[in-house]
Amino acid sequence: MKNFIALIFVLLIALASLQPAMAQSPDNLIKASGVAIAAYSKNIAERHTTPGADGDYMRNINNYDIGISQNSSYIIFIFLPSDKNVAGGGGEIWISKKNMKIEKTSNYF
């Protein structure tokens, strides 16, 4: 939970610098980031079940860099492993701006 709060804090700082160019309110972006991080945490826990260092690394949400993009309908969260020596992995969560619900999840392999 402590790491989750730290991730939200980092996202808030990043979002503050992007706010003038974005149509979404900070409250919606914060809500969307919480939804995306929780969903992707569950996703990687279910997908990476191999015991050992690689599986442990890929199951930990703190081992991912998170990028945010948007278009007219969605806020898109991109998750990539922080360790550049990891081949593959990561994914996307697309959240509707209209209802703040997950509309699409894509996994990179």
Side-chain angles (χ1 to χ4, degrees):
M1 185 57 149
K2 192 166 144 181
N3 291 329
F4 180 75
I5 292 170
L7 282 171
I8 293 295
F9 181 73
V10 169
L11 284 171
L12 287 174
I13 292 170
L15 293 174
S17 65
L18 297 174
Q19 183 56 33
M22 301 180 85
Q24 290 299 297
S25 73
D27 290 342
N28 282 349
L29 291 170
I30 292 166
K31 181 178 179 182
S33 66
V35 169
I37 290 168
Y40 200 72
S41 293
K42 182 178 179 191
N43 177 307
I44 58 178
E46 292 171 351
R47 283 191 310 129
H48 299 288
T49 58
T50 305
D54 289 345
D56 293 345
Y57 179 85
M58 296 302 284
R59 278 190 299 278
N60 186 342
I61 192 67
N62 296 310
N63 293 330
Y64 289 82
D65 293 332
I66 304 170
I68 304 169
S69 185
Q70 69 173 337
N71 61 30
S72 61
S73 301
Y74 300 101
I75 303 169
I76 303 125
F77 292 84
I78 302 151
F79 298 84
L80 295 172
S82 298
D83 183 346
K84 304 308 177 212
N85 293 318
V86 172
E92 300 174 3
I93 302 281
W94 291 55
I95 297 181
S96 169
K97 289 182 175 180
K98 187 182 198 178
N99 60 19
M100 291 293 127
K101 304 252 185 228
I102 296 172
E103 297 290 329
K104 177 180 166 185
T105 300
S106 299
N107 296 312
Y108 305 155
F109 294 95

Short mmCIF file of all heavy atoms in Angstrom, two decimals, residues 40-104:
data_model
loop_
_atom_site.label_atom_id
_atom_site.label_comp_id
_atom_site.label_asym_id
_atom_site.label_seq_id
_atom_site.Cartn_x
_atom_site.Cartn_y
_atom_site.Cartn_z
N TYR A 40 -3.78 -3.22 -13.43
CA TYR A 40 -2.55 -3.80 -13.98
C TYR A 40 -1.82 -4.64 -12.93
O TYR A 40 -1.22 -5.66 -13.27
CB TYR A 40 -1.64 -2.74 -14.58
CG TYR A 40 -0.66 -3.38 -15.53
CD1 TYR A 40 -1.10 -3.85 -16.77
CD2 TYR A 40 0.66 -3.57 -15.19
CE1 TYR A 40 -0.23 -4.49 -17.63
CE2 TYR A 40 1.54 -4.20 -16.06
CZ TYR A 40 1.08 -4.66 -17.27
OH TYR A 40 1.94 -5.31 -18.12
N SER A 41 -1.90 -4.24 -11.68
CA SER A 41 -1.32 -5.05 -10.60
C SER A 41 -1.96 -6.44 -10.57
O SER A 41 -1.27 -7.45 -10.43
CB SER A 41 -1.51 -4.36 -9.24
OG SER A 41 -0.77 -3.18 -9.18
N LYS A 42 -3.27 -6.48 -10.70
CA LYS A 42 -3.98 -7.76 -10.73
C LYS A 42 -3.60 -8.56 -11.97
O LYS A 42 -3.35 -9.76 -11.91
CB LYS A 42 -5.49 -7.51 -10.69
CG LYS A 42 -6.29 -8.78 -10.68
CD LYS A 42 -7.78 -8.50 -10.60
CE LYS A 42 -8.52 -9.82 -10.63
NZ LYS A 42 -9.94 -9.66 -10.82
N ASN A 43 -3.51 -7.86 -13.10
CA ASN A 43 -3.16 -8.50 -14.37
C ASN A 43 -1.80 -9.19 -14.29
O ASN A 43 -1.67 -10.36 -14.67
CB ASN A 43 -3.15 -7.41 -15.46
CG ASN A 43 -2.73 -7.89 -16.82
OD1 ASN A 43 -1.68 -8.50 -17.00
ND2 ASN A 43 -3.54 -7.58 -17.82
N ILE A 44 -0.79 -8.49 -13.77
CA ILE A 44 0.55 -9.09 -13.73
C ILE A 44 0.64 -10.19 -12.68
O ILE A 44 1.39 -11.15 -12.86
CB ILE A 44 1.66 -8.04 -13.54
CG1 ILE A 44 1.48 -7.22 -12.28
CG2 ILE A 44 1.78 -7.17 -14.78
CD1 ILE A 44 2.56 -6.18 -12.00
N ALA A 45 -0.13 -10.10 -11.62
CA ALA A 45 -0.15 -11.17 -10.61
C ALA A 45 -0.72 -12.45 -11.21
O ALA A 45 -0.26 -13.55 -10.90
CB ALA A 45 -0.96 -10.73 -9.39
N GLU A 46 -1.72 -12.31 -12.08
CA GLU A 46 -2.34 -13.47 -12.71
C GLU A 46 -1.52 -14.03 -13.87
O GLU A 46 -1.52 -15.23 -14.11
CB GLU A 46 -3.74 -13.10 -13.20
CG GLU A 46 -4.71 -12.81 -12.08
CD GLU A 46 -6.03 -12.23 -12.56
OE1 GLU A 46 -6.17 -11.89 -13.76
OE2 GLU A 46 -6.93 -12.11 -11.71
N ARG A 47 -0.80 -13.17 -14.59
CA ARG A 47 -0.04 -13.62 -15.77
C ARG A 47 1.33 -14.18 -15.44
O ARG A 47 1.79 -15.09 -16.11
CB ARG A 47 0.15 -12.45 -16.75
CG ARG A 47 -1.06 -12.14 -17.55
CD ARG A 47 -0.81 -11.19 -18.70
NE ARG A 47 -0.09 -9.99 -18.31
CZ ARG A 47 1.00 -9.54 -18.95
NH1 ARG A 47 1.50 -10.18 -19.97
NH2 ARG A 47 1.59 -8.43 -18.56
N HIS A 48 2.00 -13.61 -14.47
CA HIS A 48 3.38 -14.00 -14.19
C HIS A 48 3.42 -14.90 -12.96
O HIS A 48 3.64 -14.45 -11.85
CB HIS A 48 4.26 -12.76 -14.00
CG HIS A 48 4.32 -11.90 -15.21
ND1 HIS A 48 5.00 -12.27 -16.34
CD2 HIS A 48 3.75 -10.70 -15.48
CE1 HIS A 48 4.86 -11.33 -17.26
NE2 HIS A 48 4.11 -10.37 -16.76
N THR A 49 3.19 -16.17 -13.21
CA THR A 49 3.09 -17.14 -12.11
C THR A 49 4.33 -17.99 -11.93
O THR A 49 4.39 -18.80 -11.01
CB THR A 49 1.87 -18.06 -12.33
OG1 THR A 49 2.03 -18.73 -13.59
CG2 THR A 49 0.57 -17.27 -12.33
N THR A 50 5.33 -17.81 -12.79
CA THR A 50 6.56 -18.60 -12.68
C THR A 50 7.29 -18.24 -11.39
O THR A 50 7.54 -17.07 -11.13
CB THR A 50 7.49 -18.31 -13.87
OG1 THR A 50 6.77 -18.55 -15.07
CG2 THR A 50 8.72 -19.19 -13.82
N PRO A 51 7.61 -19.27 -10.59
CA PRO A 51 8.37 -18.96 -9.36
C PRO A 51 9.78 -18.51 -9.70
O PRO A 51 10.32 -18.82 -10.75
CB PRO A 51 8.40 -20.30 -8.62
CG PRO A 51 7.65 -21.28 -9.43
CD PRO A 51 7.29 -20.65 -10.73
N GLY A 52 10.39 -17.76 -8.81
CA GLY A 52 11.77 -17.33 -8.99
C GLY A 52 11.88 -15.86 -9.31
O GLY A 52 10.90 -15.13 -9.36
N ALA A 53 13.10 -15.45 -9.55
CA ALA A 53 13.42 -14.03 -9.69
C ALA A 53 12.66 -13.35 -10.82
O ALA A 53 12.14 -12.25 -10.65
CB ALA A 53 14.92 -13.86 -9.89
N ASP A 54 12.58 -13.98 -12.01
CA ASP A 54 11.89 -13.33 -13.13
C ASP A 54 10.41 -13.14 -12.84
O ASP A 54 9.86 -12.06 -13.06
CB ASP A 54 12.06 -14.15 -14.42
CG ASP A 54 13.47 -14.07 -14.97
OD1 ASP A 54 14.24 -13.19 -14.54
OD2 ASP A 54 13.81 -14.91 -15.83
N GLY A 55 9.77 -14.17 -12.35
CA GLY A 55 8.36 -14.07 -12.01
C GLY A 55 8.11 -13.08 -10.90
O GLY A 55 7.17 -12.29 -10.95
N ASP A 56 8.96 -13.09 -9.89
CA ASP A 56 8.83 -12.14 -8.78
C ASP A 56 8.97 -10.71 -9.28
O ASP A 56 8.21 -9.82 -8.89
CB ASP A 56 9.88 -12.41 -7.70
CG ASP A 56 9.67 -13.74 -6.99
OD1 ASP A 56 8.57 -14.32 -7.11
OD2 ASP A 56 10.61 -14.19 -6.31
N TYR A 57 9.93 -10.49 -10.16
CA TYR A 57 10.15 -9.15 -10.71
C TYR A 57 8.93 -8.69 -11.51
O TYR A 57 8.44 -7.57 -11.32
CB TYR A 57 11.40 -9.14 -11.61
CG TYR A 57 11.66 -7.79 -12.22
CD1 TYR A 57 12.39 -6.83 -11.51
CD2 TYR A 57 11.17 -7.46 -13.48
CE1 TYR A 57 12.62 -5.57 -12.06
CE2 TYR A 57 11.39 -6.21 -14.03
CZ TYR A 57 12.10 -5.28 -13.32
OH TYR A 57 12.31 -4.03 -13.85
N MET A 58 8.43 -9.53 -12.40
CA MET A 58 7.34 -9.15 -13.28
C MET A 58 6.01 -9.00 -12.55
O MET A 58 5.12 -8.31 -13.03
CB MET A 58 7.20 -10.16 -14.43
CG MET A 58 8.41 -10.22 -15.35
SD MET A 58 8.83 -8.64 -16.14
CE MET A 58 7.57 -8.55 -17.38
N ARG A 59 5.85 -9.62 -11.38
CA ARG A 59 4.61 -9.49 -10.60
C ARG A 59 4.57 -8.23 -9.76
O ARG A 59 3.53 -7.88 -9.22
CB ARG A 59 4.45 -10.70 -9.67
CG ARG A 59 3.86 -11.91 -10.30
CD ARG A 59 3.49 -12.96 -9.26
NE ARG A 59 4.64 -13.43 -8.50
CZ ARG A 59 5.49 -14.36 -8.90
NH1 ARG A 59 5.31 -14.95 -10.06
NH2 ARG A 59 6.50 -14.72 -8.14
N ASN A 60 5.66 -7.51 -9.62
CA ASN A 60 5.74 -6.36 -8.73
C ASN A 60 5.49 -5.07 -9.51
O ASN A 60 6.30 -4.66 -10.34
CB ASN A 60 7.12 -6.32 -8.06
CG ASN A 60 7.23 -5.24 -7.02
OD1 ASN A 60 6.45 -4.30 -6.97
ND2 ASN A 60 8.23 -5.39 -6.17
N ILE A 61 4.37 -4.40 -9.24
CA ILE A 61 4.01 -3.18 -9.96
C ILE A 61 5.07 -2.09 -9.81
O ILE A 61 5.20 -1.22 -10.68
CB ILE A 61 2.62 -2.67 -9.51
CG1 ILE A 61 2.08 -1.57 -10.45
CG2 ILE A 61 2.66 -2.15 -8.07
CD1 ILE A 61 1.77 -2.00 -11.82
N ASN A 62 5.84 -2.12 -8.74
CA ASN A 62 6.89 -1.12 -8.53
C ASN A 62 8.06 -1.28 -9.50
O ASN A 62 8.92 -0.41 -9.56
CB ASN A 62 7.40 -1.18 -7.10
CG ASN A 62 6.31 -0.81 -6.13
OD1 ASN A 62 5.65 0.21 -6.28
ND2 ASN A 62 6.10 -1.64 -5.13
N ASN A 63 8.08 -2.37 -10.25
CA ASN A 63 9.14 -2.61 -11.24
C ASN A 63 8.74 -2.17 -12.65
O ASN A 63 9.35 -2.57 -13.62
CB ASN A 63 9.52 -4.09 -11.25
CG ASN A 63 10.18 -4.49 -9.95
OD1 ASN A 63 10.85 -3.69 -9.30
ND2 ASN A 63 9.99 -5.73 -9.54
N TYR A 64 7.71 -1.34 -12.73
CA TYR A 64 7.24 -0.86 -14.03
C TYR A 64 7.30 0.66 -14.09
O TYR A 64 6.97 1.34 -13.12
CB TYR A 64 5.79 -1.30 -14.28
CG TYR A 64 5.66 -2.78 -14.53
CD1 TYR A 64 5.63 -3.68 -13.48
CD2 TYR A 64 5.58 -3.28 -15.82
CE1 TYR A 64 5.53 -5.04 -13.70
CE2 TYR A 64 5.47 -4.64 -16.06
CZ TYR A 64 5.45 -5.51 -14.99
OH TYR A 64 5.35 -6.86 -15.22
N ASP A 65 7.71 1.18 -15.24
CA ASP A 65 7.58 2.60 -15.53
C ASP A 65 6.17 2.78 -16.08
O ASP A 65 5.67 1.93 -16.83
CB ASP A 65 8.59 3.04 -16.59
CG ASP A 65 10.03 2.98 -16.09
OD1 ASP A 65 10.24 3.12 -14.86
OD2 ASP A 65 10.92 2.79 -16.93
N ILE A 66 5.54 3.89 -15.72
CA ILE A 66 4.16 4.14 -16.14
C ILE A 66 4.11 5.43 -16.94
O ILE A 66 4.55 6.48 -16.48
CB ILE A 66 3.21 4.24 -14.93
CG1 ILE A 66 3.31 2.98 -14.07
CG2 ILE A 66 1.77 4.48 -15.39
CD1 ILE A 66 2.60 3.09 -12.73
N GLY A 67 3.58 5.33 -18.16
CA GLY A 67 3.38 6.50 -19.01
C GLY A 67 1.89 6.76 -19.18
O GLY A 67 1.08 5.84 -19.06
N ILE A 68 1.56 8.01 -19.43
CA ILE A 68 0.16 8.38 -19.61
C ILE A 68 0.01 9.10 -20.94
O ILE A 68 0.80 10.00 -21.27
CB ILE A 68 -0.32 9.31 -18.48
CG1 ILE A 68 -0.10 8.68 -17.11
CG2 ILE A 68 -1.81 9.66 -18.66
CD1 ILE A 68 -0.31 9.63 -15.96
N SER A 69 -1.01 8.71 -21.68
CA SER A 69 -1.34 9.37 -22.93
C SER A 69 -2.85 9.54 -22.96
O SER A 69 -3.56 9.05 -22.08
CB SER A 69 -0.86 8.51 -24.10
OG SER A 69 -1.08 9.20 -25.32
N GLN A 70 -3.34 10.23 -23.96
CA GLN A 70 -4.78 10.37 -24.09
C GLN A 70 -5.16 10.69 -25.51
O GLN A 70 -4.33 11.13 -26.31
CB GLN A 70 -5.31 11.46 -23.16
CG GLN A 70 -4.90 12.86 -23.55
CD GLN A 70 -5.59 13.91 -22.71
OE1 GLN A 70 -6.65 13.67 -22.14
NE2 GLN A 70 -4.99 15.09 -22.64
N ASN A 71 -6.42 10.41 -25.83
CA ASN A 71 -7.01 10.89 -27.06
C ASN A 71 -8.36 11.49 -26.68
O ASN A 71 -8.60 11.73 -25.49
CB ASN A 71 -7.10 9.77 -28.12
CG ASN A 71 -7.95 8.60 -27.68
OD1 ASN A 71 -8.89 8.73 -26.91
ND2 ASN A 71 -7.61 7.41 -28.17
N SER A 72 -9.23 11.73 -27.59
CA SER A 72 -10.49 12.40 -27.26
C SER A 72 -11.40 11.57 -26.37
O SER A 72 -12.23 12.12 -25.66
CB SER A 72 -11.22 12.80 -28.54
OG SER A 72 -11.53 11.65 -29.30
N SER A 73 -11.24 10.25 -26.37
CA SER A 73 -12.15 9.38 -25.62
C SER A 73 -11.52 8.65 -24.45
O SER A 73 -12.23 8.20 -23.55
CB SER A 73 -12.74 8.33 -26.56
OG SER A 73 -13.43 8.95 -27.62
N TYR A 74 -10.19 8.47 -24.46
CA TYR A 74 -9.54 7.60 -23.47
C TYR A 74 -8.32 8.24 -22.83
O TYR A 74 -7.63 9.04 -23.45
CB TYR A 74 -9.08 6.30 -24.14
CG TYR A 74 -10.21 5.51 -24.75
CD1 TYR A 74 -10.43 5.56 -26.12
CD2 TYR A 74 -11.05 4.74 -23.97
CE1 TYR A 74 -11.47 4.86 -26.70
CE2 TYR A 74 -12.10 4.03 -24.53
CZ TYR A 74 -12.31 4.10 -25.90
OH TYR A 74 -13.34 3.41 -26.46
N ILE A 75 -8.07 7.80 -21.60
CA ILE A 75 -6.80 8.04 -20.94
C ILE A 75 -6.09 6.69 -20.99
O ILE A 75 -6.65 5.67 -20.57
CB ILE A 75 -6.97 8.50 -19.49
CG1 ILE A 75 -7.82 9.76 -19.43
CG2 ILE A 75 -5.61 8.73 -18.83
CD1 ILE A 75 -8.27 10.13 -18.02
N ILE A 76 -4.90 6.66 -21.53
CA ILE A 76 -4.18 5.40 -21.76
C ILE A 76 -2.96 5.36 -20.84
O ILE A 76 -2.14 6.27 -20.86
CB ILE A 76 -3.75 5.27 -23.23
CG1 ILE A 76 -4.97 5.38 -24.14
CG2 ILE A 76 -3.00 3.96 -23.47
CD1 ILE A 76 -4.86 6.42 -25.18
N PHE A 77 -2.87 4.28 -20.07
CA PHE A 77 -1.73 4.07 -19.17
C PHE A 77 -0.87 2.96 -19.76
O PHE A 77 -1.38 1.89 -20.09
CB PHE A 77 -2.22 3.68 -17.77
CG PHE A 77 -2.93 4.82 -17.08
CD1 PHE A 77 -4.26 5.06 -17.32
CD2 PHE A 77 -2.23 5.66 -16.23
CE1 PHE A 77 -4.90 6.13 -16.71
CE2 PHE A 77 -2.86 6.73 -15.61
CZ PHE A 77 -4.20 6.96 -15.85
N ILE A 78 0.41 3.24 -19.91
CA ILE A 78 1.35 2.31 -20.51
C ILE A 78 2.32 1.85 -19.42
O ILE A 78 2.92 2.69 -18.75
CB ILE A 78 2.10 2.97 -21.67
CG1 ILE A 78 1.08 3.46 -22.71
CG2 ILE A 78 3.12 2.01 -22.29
CD1 ILE A 78 1.51 4.63 -23.50
N PHE A 79 2.44 0.55 -19.26
CA PHE A 79 3.30 -0.04 -18.24
C PHE A 79 4.43 -0.78 -18.94
O PHE A 79 4.18 -1.67 -19.75
CB PHE A 79 2.49 -1.03 -17.39
CG PHE A 79 1.36 -0.39 -16.63
CD1 PHE A 79 0.12 -0.17 -17.23
CD2 PHE A 79 1.54 0.00 -15.31
CE1 PHE A 79 -0.91 0.42 -16.52
CE2 PHE A 79 0.51 0.60 -14.60
CZ PHE A 79 -0.72 0.82 -15.21
N LEU A 80 5.68 -0.41 -18.61
CA LEU A 80 6.84 -1.08 -19.18
C LEU A 80 7.79 -1.45 -18.05
O LEU A 80 8.00 -0.65 -17.12
CB LEU A 80 7.57 -0.16 -20.16
CG LEU A 80 6.78 0.22 -21.41
CD1 LEU A 80 7.54 1.28 -22.20
CD2 LEU A 80 6.51 -1.00 -22.27
N PRO A 81 8.40 -2.65 -18.11
CA PRO A 81 9.36 -3.02 -17.07
C PRO A 81 10.48 -1.97 -16.98
O PRO A 81 10.99 -1.52 -18.00
CB PRO A 81 9.91 -4.36 -17.53
CG PRO A 81 8.87 -4.90 -18.45
CD PRO A 81 8.25 -3.71 -19.11
N SER A 82 10.82 -1.59 -15.76
CA SER A 82 11.87 -0.58 -15.54
C SER A 82 13.24 -1.10 -15.94
O SER A 82 14.09 -0.34 -16.42
CB SER A 82 11.91 -0.17 -14.07
OG SER A 82 10.68 0.42 -13.72
N ASP A 83 13.48 -2.39 -15.74
CA ASP A 83 14.77 -3.00 -16.06
C ASP A 83 14.83 -3.20 -17.57
O ASP A 83 14.11 -4.02 -18.14
CB ASP A 83 14.92 -4.33 -15.34
CG ASP A 83 16.27 -4.99 -15.56
OD1 ASP A 83 17.02 -4.59 -16.48
OD2 ASP A 83 16.58 -5.93 -14.81
N LYS A 84 15.67 -2.44 -18.22
CA LYS A 84 15.77 -2.50 -19.69
C LYS A 84 16.39 -3.81 -20.19
O LYS A 84 16.37 -4.10 -21.38
CB LYS A 84 16.59 -1.32 -20.23
CG LYS A 84 16.04 0.03 -19.81
CD LYS A 84 14.58 0.18 -20.13
CE LYS A 84 14.04 1.52 -19.64
NZ LYS A 84 12.68 1.53 -19.22
N ASN A 85 16.90 -4.64 -19.28
CA ASN A 85 17.44 -5.94 -19.66
C ASN A 85 16.35 -7.01 -19.72
O ASN A 85 16.62 -8.14 -20.10
CB ASN A 85 18.54 -6.37 -18.69
CG ASN A 85 19.75 -5.47 -18.80
OD1 ASN A 85 20.16 -5.11 -19.90
ND2 ASN A 85 20.31 -5.09 -17.66
N VAL A 86 15.14 -6.67 -19.34
CA VAL A 86 14.02 -7.61 -19.40
C VAL A 86 13.46 -7.56 -20.81
O VAL A 86 13.12 -6.49 -21.33
CB VAL A 86 12.92 -7.23 -18.38
CG1 VAL A 86 11.68 -8.07 -18.57
CG2 VAL A 86 13.45 -7.35 -16.96
N ALA A 87 13.40 -8.71 -21.46
CA ALA A 87 12.87 -8.79 -22.82
C ALA A 87 11.36 -8.99 -22.76
O ALA A 87 10.87 -9.95 -22.19
CB ALA A 87 13.52 -9.94 -23.57
N GLY A 88 10.63 -8.07 -23.34
CA GLY A 88 9.18 -8.18 -23.37
C GLY A 88 8.53 -7.74 -22.08
O GLY A 88 9.16 -7.22 -21.18
N GLY A 89 7.24 -7.94 -22.03
CA GLY A 89 6.48 -7.55 -20.86
C GLY A 89 5.90 -6.16 -21.01
O GLY A 89 6.23 -5.41 -21.91
N GLY A 90 5.00 -5.84 -20.12
CA GLY A 90 4.34 -4.55 -20.14
C GLY A 90 2.96 -4.65 -20.77
O GLY A 90 2.50 -5.73 -21.15
N GLY A 91 2.31 -3.54 -20.83
CA GLY A 91 0.99 -3.52 -21.40
C GLY A 91 0.34 -2.16 -21.29
O GLY A 91 0.97 -1.18 -20.91
N GLU A 92 -0.96 -2.11 -21.64
CA GLU A 92 -1.73 -0.89 -21.63
C GLU A 92 -3.07 -1.10 -20.95
O GLU A 92 -3.64 -2.18 -21.04
CB GLU A 92 -2.02 -0.41 -23.06
CG GLU A 92 -0.82 -0.12 -23.88
CD GLU A 92 -1.16 0.21 -25.32
OE1 GLU A 92 -2.36 0.26 -25.69
OE2 GLU A 92 -0.21 0.40 -26.10
N ILE A 93 -3.56 -0.05 -20.34
CA ILE A 93 -4.91 0.00 -19.80
C ILE A 93 -5.55 1.25 -20.39
O ILE A 93 -5.02 2.35 -20.26
CB ILE A 93 -4.92 0.10 -18.25
CG1 ILE A 93 -4.19 -1.07 -17.60
CG2 ILE A 93 -6.34 0.26 -17.73
CD1 ILE A 93 -4.95 -2.36 -17.52
N TRP A 94 -6.69 1.09 -21.07
CA TRP A 94 -7.42 2.20 -21.67
C TRP A 94 -8.65 2.48 -20.82
O TRP A 94 -9.49 1.58 -20.62
CB TRP A 94 -7.87 1.86 -23.09
CG TRP A 94 -6.75 1.74 -24.08
CD1 TRP A 94 -5.64 0.96 -24.00
CD2 TRP A 94 -6.65 2.43 -25.32
NE1 TRP A 94 -4.86 1.12 -25.10
CE2 TRP A 94 -5.46 2.01 -25.92
CE3 TRP A 94 -7.47 3.35 -25.96
CZ2 TRP A 94 -5.06 2.50 -27.17
CZ3 TRP A 94 -7.07 3.83 -27.19
CH2 TRP A 94 -5.87 3.41 -27.78
N ILE A 95 -8.77 3.69 -20.33
CA ILE A 95 -9.88 4.06 -19.46
C ILE A 95 -10.72 5.13 -20.16
O ILE A 95 -10.19 6.14 -20.65
CB ILE A 95 -9.37 4.57 -18.10
CG1 ILE A 95 -8.64 3.42 -17.41
CG2 ILE A 95 -10.51 5.10 -17.24
CD1 ILE A 95 -8.09 3.73 -16.06
N SER A 96 -12.03 4.91 -20.20
CA SER A 96 -12.95 5.85 -20.83
C SER A 96 -13.00 7.15 -20.04
O SER A 96 -13.16 7.15 -18.83
CB SER A 96 -14.35 5.24 -20.89
OG SER A 96 -15.30 6.21 -21.26
N LYS A 97 -12.88 8.27 -20.74
CA LYS A 97 -13.01 9.57 -20.10
C LYS A 97 -14.46 9.81 -19.67
O LYS A 97 -14.72 10.54 -18.72
CB LYS A 97 -12.58 10.70 -21.05
CG LYS A 97 -11.09 10.75 -21.30
CD LYS A 97 -10.77 11.91 -22.22
CE LYS A 97 -9.29 12.08 -22.40
NZ LYS A 97 -8.98 13.22 -23.29
N LYS A 98 -15.36 9.18 -20.36
CA LYS A 98 -16.79 9.39 -20.12
C LYS A 98 -17.25 8.81 -18.78
O LYS A 98 -17.95 9.45 -18.02
CB LYS A 98 -17.57 8.75 -21.26
CG LYS A 98 -19.03 8.98 -21.29
CD LYS A 98 -19.56 8.22 -22.48
CE LYS A 98 -20.88 8.62 -22.95
NZ LYS A 98 -21.32 7.88 -24.11
N ASN A 99 -16.81 7.57 -18.48
CA ASN A 99 -17.31 6.90 -17.27
C ASN A 99 -16.21 6.37 -16.35
O ASN A 99 -16.50 5.71 -15.37
CB ASN A 99 -18.27 5.77 -17.65
CG ASN A 99 -17.62 4.71 -18.50
OD1 ASN A 99 -16.40 4.59 -18.56
ND2 ASN A 99 -18.44 3.92 -19.19
N MET A 100 -14.94 6.62 -16.68
CA MET A 100 -13.79 6.19 -15.88
C MET A 100 -13.74 4.66 -15.69
O MET A 100 -13.24 4.17 -14.71
CB MET A 100 -13.77 6.87 -14.50
CG MET A 100 -13.48 8.33 -14.54
SD MET A 100 -11.78 8.67 -15.07
CE MET A 100 -12.06 9.81 -16.39
N LYS A 101 -14.23 3.93 -16.67
CA LYS A 101 -14.19 2.46 -16.65
C LYS A 101 -13.15 1.97 -17.65
O LYS A 101 -12.91 2.59 -18.68
CB LYS A 101 -15.56 1.88 -17.02
CG LYS A 101 -16.68 2.36 -16.15
CD LYS A 101 -17.14 1.28 -15.26
CE LYS A 101 -18.35 1.78 -14.51
NZ LYS A 101 -18.31 1.55 -13.13
N ILE A 102 -12.57 0.80 -17.33
CA ILE A 102 -11.60 0.18 -18.25
C ILE A 102 -12.32 -0.32 -19.48
O ILE A 102 -13.29 -1.07 -19.38
CB ILE A 102 -10.86 -0.97 -17.56
CG1 ILE A 102 -10.02 -0.43 -16.39
CG2 ILE A 102 -9.98 -1.73 -18.55
CD1 ILE A 102 -9.39 -1.50 -15.53
N GLU A 103 -11.87 0.14 -20.63
CA GLU A 103 -12.47 -0.27 -21.90
C GLU A 103 -11.62 -1.30 -22.64
O GLU A 103 -12.13 -2.07 -23.43
CB GLU A 103 -12.67 0.96 -22.80
CG GLU A 103 -13.63 1.99 -22.23
CD GLU A 103 -15.07 1.51 -22.23
OE1 GLU A 103 -15.45 0.72 -23.11
OE2 GLU A 103 -15.82 1.95 -21.33
N LYS A 104 -10.30 -1.28 -22.37
CA LYS A 104 -9.42 -2.17 -23.11
C LYS A 104 -8.15 -2.42 -22.30
O LYS A 104 -7.64 -1.51 -21.65
CB LYS A 104 -9.06 -1.50 -24.44
CG LYS A 104 -8.10 -2.25 -25.32
CD LYS A 104 -7.86 -1.46 -26.60
CE LYS A 104 -6.70 -1.97 -27.36
NZ LYS A 104 -6.37 -1.16 -28.52
#
